[in-house]
Amino acid sequence: MRTRLHRLVLAGIATASTLLPVAAVGSATPPAPTATAHGSLGENFMWGVAASGFQSEGHAPDSNWERYIQNNPDWDRYRNSIDFRSRYPNDIALAAGLGVKVFRIGIEWARLQPTPDTWDENGFAFYDSVIDTILENGMQPMLTLDHWVYPGWALDRGGWNNPGMVQDWLTNMRKVVDRYASRNPVWVTVNEPVAYIMHEVRQNATVADHMLDEVAQAHNEIYDYIHQVQRGALVTSNVGYVAGAENKVNGPLMERIGAKLDFIGVDYYFGYEPPSNSVSQPDGSAAAPKGMWELPVRPEGIYYALQHYSEKFPGKPLWVVENGMPTEDGKPRADGYTRSDHLRDTVYWLQRAKADGMNVVGYNYWSLTDNYEWSSYTPRFGLFTVDAKSDPNLKRTPTDAVDSYRRIVAANGVPSTYVPVRLPSECGLVDPPASCDDPVTVP
């Protein structure tokens, strides 16, 4: 994660037509249906934590994102992020202590292939050790092939504007698959492709429609290759869900890759933000809030995100690949909502979704630790907080949600008697029109 795609939409990167006006959902709220009973997610549910390569590792080689940071002097300097590269045994042990079954990481292309004609065995050896440590701690690795970062030499060739980018990409990714298929990982091919595209449009003048076609081709080809090498593999490309605009934002991508997804990977963070609730820019676009911690947190929206894809792909497994809540530099939120509150409330809605017939099989918390949020260390999402700007020791300090998540994992959910701290919002602020057509209530 996360400069959330929702934030990009609010900032006017997507066209205004991607945002549905509140008037479109009607002024009257239809009668609420009787709430469905909910309960445990079951002992086979795949609880996990998530991180990415560049955002956490530090000691970064030359890459598009190293250059983007250099080109934006108002961004936080990257330094060594939270130094996962040196501290991964401890971080993996922290995850194992939660009782989770899955640890998601990224495999950085820039670390493996420093020039077009050379491969760094030390880079592979690092990931060998990380993945083996995950396995030794009783967890399954979830490996992301592309979390928005590629080598500097690929940027010199034009990045995703380069006609040869897909083949360069596939050359690296096939080597990664060959190396790690025997460890039986779950695979994420490309993280949040539409958000990836928007960053490349902004930072490298990339042609959006061309990159969409290229990324879809890359996903589809590596999907086939993974299945040739790893029997029974589970492969996805996770989407950053945009409440109120999902069909328009991620629909074109899913049309291109939907046939080659073994499960639907959904990242969910924020509710709908009507344009009328934002300060308008001179060009008529909506201004983004000051920070991600000011975006609307509506945990019941995850129910609608899962419902959306359960209807689009009936019966296909649904896995929340990322979900969490930001704070500003780790300070208490102005609304008083805690990380524990948000986690328990979210799990409540996962259980409601499963009880209502949605095939929810997994959930990853974003993120295990705080990290570099694509320009800034100010947004904090970690179960364990890290002050990357001020603490030279990069101490991992548990938040209130650590014990909550441990209890949730042990019980495979929240109690059937649990009542969410944050009750459902007015339907037009959750995920219109679906959230008004069939609003959920708390028993």
Side-chain angles (χ1 to χ4, degrees), residues 242-260:
V242 181
E246 181 63 11
N247 276 330
K248 291 186 177 180
V249 174
N250 284 306
L253 169 75
M254 298 304 276
E255 289 173 3
R256 289 163 169 80
I257 70 171
K260 294 189 176 182

Side-chain angles (χ1 to χ4, degrees), residues 196 235 292 343 352 368:
Y196 187 8
V235 185
M292 282 185 276
L343 176 57
R352 286 283 297 275
L368 177 66

